[in-house]
Amino acid sequence: MEFVSKVDRTKYLLRELERAALRDTAKLIRRRILDKARKLRGMRRGKRIPHAFQYWLRRREGDLQIGVKHDTWYGAHQELGTKNQPKRSIIRDTTYENIDQIRIIQGQYLKHIEDENKALGLINEDEEVGDEDV
């Protein structure tokens, strides 16, 4: 009898499936953010917007970050607000508005947890939305 372990291969495949799902999620969210941002007053049509919003898919940490490129017109002051600038929350709101679509994208890639994904959607119908002011 010979024992052949496929644990490492399975870990690799799951990690890569997760990365692919995060990449597609980021593309969706960025596209929806750009649609909203183009409607903001003071934006020049198409010149600055596409480069302001970016996503970072970090390999070592295994996570996804969506944010604003440093020194762009739409920056932290626009997203979080200041005493002279109203809070717009485009990134945060767009992400929360698309939770169901994010679940669908993740489920397409991560079919191994599709049932768990559906269960979490049923159990957590009233998901909390944190509103931390930084």
Side-chain angles (χ1 to χ4, degrees):
M1 176 188 274
E2 181 180 344
F3 175 73
V4 178
S5 175
K6 295 189 179 192
V7 171
D8 290 337
R9 178 72 179 155
T10 302
K11 282 182 179 180
Y12 169 78
L13 289 174
L14 286 173
R15 188 171 50 248
E16 291 306 309
L17 283 171
E18 181 180 9
R19 285 181 49 76
L22 288 174
R23 186 175 44 252
D24 278 1
T25 298
K27 288 177 184 178
L28 169 80
I29 297 300
R30 183 173 183 268
R31 199 169 43 245
R32 302 260 168 97
I33 287 171
L34 290 175
D35 290 343
K36 279 186 177 183
R38 285 188 179 106
K39 296 174 185 172
L40 290 178
R41 201 170 83 164
M43 299 302 283
R44 284 192 222 147
R45 187 149 273 203
K47 293 192 179 193
R48 294 185 276 185
I49 297 292
H51 301 290
F53 298 96
Q54 296 182 333
Y55 63 86
W56 299 267
L57 190 58
R58 301 186 315 167
R59 185 175 293 278
R60 187 175 356 143
E61 292 84 355
D63 66 356
L64 168 67
Q65 294 183 344
I66 299 175
V68 182
K69 186 176 178 183
H70 179 68
D71 282 342
T72 57
W73 179 84
Y74 188 96
H77 296 285
Q78 298 279 330
E79 181 71 14
L80 302 174
T82 65
K83 69 178 184 177
N84 297 322
Q85 177 66 44
K87 179 179 177 180
R88 298 188 190 229
S89 299
I90 292 177
I91 298 169
R92 180 183 175 278
D93 292 347
T94 302
T95 302
Y96 284 114
E97 289 165 6
N98 290 284
I99 292 291
D100 290 336
Q101 189 64 33
I102 291 169
R103 281 193 178 124
I104 290 169
I105 290 170
Q106 298 284 319
Q108 288 172 350
Y109 281 94
L110 307 173
K111 293 200 182 280
H112 303 290
I113 62 168
E114 187 176 20
D115 292 339
E116 180 181 341
N117 191 16
K118 287 179 182 177
L120 287 173
L122 293 172
I123 293 169
N124 259 345
E125 288 182 22
D126 297 323
E127 293 180 9
E128 283 188 57
V129 177
D131 191 20
E132 299 96 33
D133 290 326
V134 179

